[in-house]
Amino acid sequence: MAKYLQRVRQVPRSQLNGKNKTRAINNYTLPVIRYPAGIIRWPKEEIHTTDVRTRKLLTMHGGFHPKSSTLRLYASRKEGGRGLVSVRATVQDETSKLHEYIKEKDPTDDVLSECLRQWGTVDEALEQGPSWEDKPLHGMYHRTITEVADLKKSHQWLERAGLKDSTEALILAAQEQALSTRAIEAQIYHTRQDPRCRCRLCKEAPETIQHITAGCKMLAGKAYMERHNQVAGIVYRNICAEYGLETPRSKWETPPKVVENDRAKVLWDFQIQTDKIVMANQPDIVIIDKGQRKAVVVDVAVPSDGNIRKKEHEKLEKYQGLREELERAWKVKVTVVPVVVGALGAVTPKLDEWLQQIPGTTSDISVQKCAVLGTARILRRTLKLPGLW
Ligand SMILES: [Zn+2]
């Protein structure tokens, strides 16, 4: 145990990203436990305490929110967890594997047969408790997005974005309603008397995670805009790269309204004049491919996760007027493409298809990562998270 704890302590201090830190614990620290597990008797109490100490250590370094779901910490990343393996699971796994082996060899070996007799029966394998998705508060997000999102893709940032463990912990805590917003303080922790629990910024709506990440009018002008422009900026730079157009030097630089060469013309946040007045005439990006005689109208949104499908539809409808006008005026084929990512990472099953209709190569993981990072920044600033939280 001492050796195990000594190794665990090395992990949070390392420069590894979140996913690699869990891998370090699973592949470098846990073998210390696995080796003697199933051979020496291990008090259940000690196993439990060691898991608790591991989680406390992660929490101390910002890698696990204290109110976040423990079940989810140990769930696989593919299923939206953090992919950590517990001491308990390691000991149980190794014990049951040894038993299986001995049972198999038992008829041919007297010593093993005697060993098995003395051992008696083992407690059955991992009892299946409830999963984090079923918990009233921790699973709320999961239930909300099940209807509208591609769950596997919505979780893929946990596997592929390479974020810091503290950012992973923050976003999962937000999904699990584990962060202290005024609404949670009043309704769940009962530490706040004011039952209206109005948002600290706009003082209008109840302060929920959903409100802070995508619904507050005080954040709309600057913080949400910044996040939106970062996501749109990724798409924009990939388009420019495709046509050999000059790209903005830094990702914080606002692109020029118009860039053009003999192959294409790309408009950024450009108000387009049409003969017939159309309401929505200022999409985020317009690409005119001169060679192929086609144009693509791209509009980006980072709404609340439950609204991604509705938003996608809305964007599509919104620019039909512009599409018709442009087809008539420019005599080219025009496609409208919505790029929608939920503030906490949820994506619709169609996102990949949409991205493929945009010139250049933009991966779904890149826009998802960008949206999630933008939200993490907003949460840290708005909730003024003390210290690591
Ligand atoms: Zn507000």
Side-chain angles (χ1 to χ4, degrees), residues 216-229:
C216 184
K217 66 171 193 187
M218 297 301 281
L219 291 167
K222 194 145 186 301
Y224 298 160
M225 180 66 89
E226 193 180 287
R227 178 178 64 188
H228 166 275
N229 285 353

Side-chain angles (χ1 to χ4, degrees), residues 57-65 82 165-167 169-170 388-389:
L57 201 83
L58 293 180
T59 299
M60 269 163 51
H61 288 83
F64 180 62
H65 191 279
R82 299 278 299 280
D165 57 341
S166 55
T167 309
L170 176 65
L388 293 160
W389 300 109

Side-chain angles (χ1 to χ4, degrees), residues 198-207 211-212 215-219 224:
R198 294 288 179 242
C199 166
R200 69 194 71 185
L201 296 174
C202 67
K203 316 243 175 339
E204 281 177 15
E207 188 186 282
H211 176 76
I212 293 173
C216 184
K217 66 171 193 187
M218 297 301 281
L219 291 167
Y224 298 160

